[in-house]
Amino acid sequence: MKTPNLYHLPEGVAETLYETSFTLPPPTDFEDENLALDTVDNYRYALRRVPGITPLITRMRSDLATERSARGYLVIGDVPTGPMHKDMTVPTALCALIGQPFILSPKNGFWQDIGVNAAAHPGAGENPIRIDAANTTNPPDYRALYSLRTDPRGGGISLLSNVQDMVDKLTAGEVEALSQPRFMEGRSLEMRGVGHEYSPFPVLERQNNGLWMVRLTGRTLPETTNDTDKRLLRHVGRLLFEGRERFTLRPTSLLITNQHIVAHGQTPPGSGQEAVPQNQRRYLRQSYLRRDGTL
């Protein structure tokens, strides 16, 4: 199994990022679903001048590129939130170095809070390996996940799997079947910046750059009625699971994934969540980016 792709900020860089954030606007000004271009430009200009930031930018460009050889994700450790904890100025500014931040779901906000509901049924919080907004014509290019707290019960482990490697393991017949627009997954109501609802959709769709768009979520299988298709989806799920990387996303870590290269998931929260105070349970924030020629 591969070693997790972690990047530790050089000494002093995290502190400088925090200090720089006091001179930056918070990510609260939007033009439709997109973070205002003036704000994005401000972030890029300021961060590119932070001493010691160049190795990180180089790493982001190589590991998050939409290329077959790219790792497809990067975990950046010790990332401060910024002067206003809720505003997430520094994580947003780092994300802006590779693309255009945007609001996918207005009801959930720009940085969506992801907590743990102890009253949910057993296994709640488990997410099969997938991409987000799979049932749209233009899913987000990048997903960002910021960790504020880990699960004290040891659950919520991040899972990542290379979708291009998975396709390489399929037969020609399986690729042909998965390329047919006959799969469905819920509705894409109230999503922005991702095109239109795509239903039914193909699980595999060849792109102009030679890569595959792999549309697969945990709800595709339950909504599939054809037994042959069900077996095929389970096979794809097994291949993704077999090729998975797994790690615990530590507090103040920022995980950015390229959805064209890797799919993501997580294990359920650890048992006994009802005994864990709400302010001590796993707590994450999630947001999305669109490629805009920056990377």
Side-chain angles (χ1 to χ4, degrees), residues 69-225:
S69 59
R71 191 72 181 267
Y73 79 94
L74 182 63
V75 179
I76 309 169
D78 303 317
V79 177
T81 55
M84 296 296 291
H85 183 64
K86 187 71 175 178
D87 286 340
M88 301 284 286
T89 301
V90 175
T92 307
L94 286 171
C95 288
L97 291 174
I98 64 167
Q100 170 67 54
F102 73 99
I103 298 175
L104 173 65
S105 174
K107 69 177 182 179
N108 292 326
F110 174 44
W111 281 96
Q112 174 186 354
D113 291 323
I114 302 177
V116 174
N117 181 5
H121 59 80
E126 178 176 13
N127 283 306
I129 298 174
R130 69 204 188 279
I131 72 164
D132 287 353
N135 58 341
T136 65
T137 55
N138 193 21
D141 296 311
Y142 296 98
R143 170 183 179 258
L145 193 66
Y146 185 83
S147 174
L148 291 115
R149 291 193 300 268
T150 56
D151 182 2
R153 299 286 177 157
I157 297 172
S158 294
L159 306 175
L160 297 172
S161 189
N162 191 299
V163 296
Q164 306 301 321
D165 289 348
M166 181 277 294
V167 177
D168 288 345
K169 298 174 184 176
L170 298 172
T171 67
E174 290 168 340
V175 169
E176 173 62 26
L178 290 165
S179 298
Q180 301 301 315
R182 62 194 197 203
F183 301 92
M184 302 180 69
E185 188 270 300
R187 303 295 306 275
S188 61
L189 300 176
E190 298 182 8
M191 289 189 187
R192 304 182 69 180
V194 289
H196 306 288
E197 183 174 303
Y198 198 4
S199 182
F201 58 83
V203 169
L204 300 183
E205 189 173 17
R206 192 76 168 183
Q207 306 294 291
N208 292 333
N209 58 8
L211 299 178
W212 293 93
M213 169 60 73
V214 180
R215 289 182 167 88
L216 188 68
T217 77
R219 293 171 63 186
T220 307
L221 182 59
E223 296 190 18
T224 300
T225 57

Side-chain angles (χ1 to χ4, degrees), residues 56-82:
L56 172 58
I57 295 175
T58 299
R59 213 29 206 280
M60 294 172 78
R61 286 175 174 167
S62 62
D63 292 350
L64 298 173
T66 306
E67 298 176 356
R68 186 65 178 80
S69 59
R71 191 72 181 267
Y73 79 94
L74 182 63
V75 179
I76 309 169
D78 303 317
V79 177
T81 55

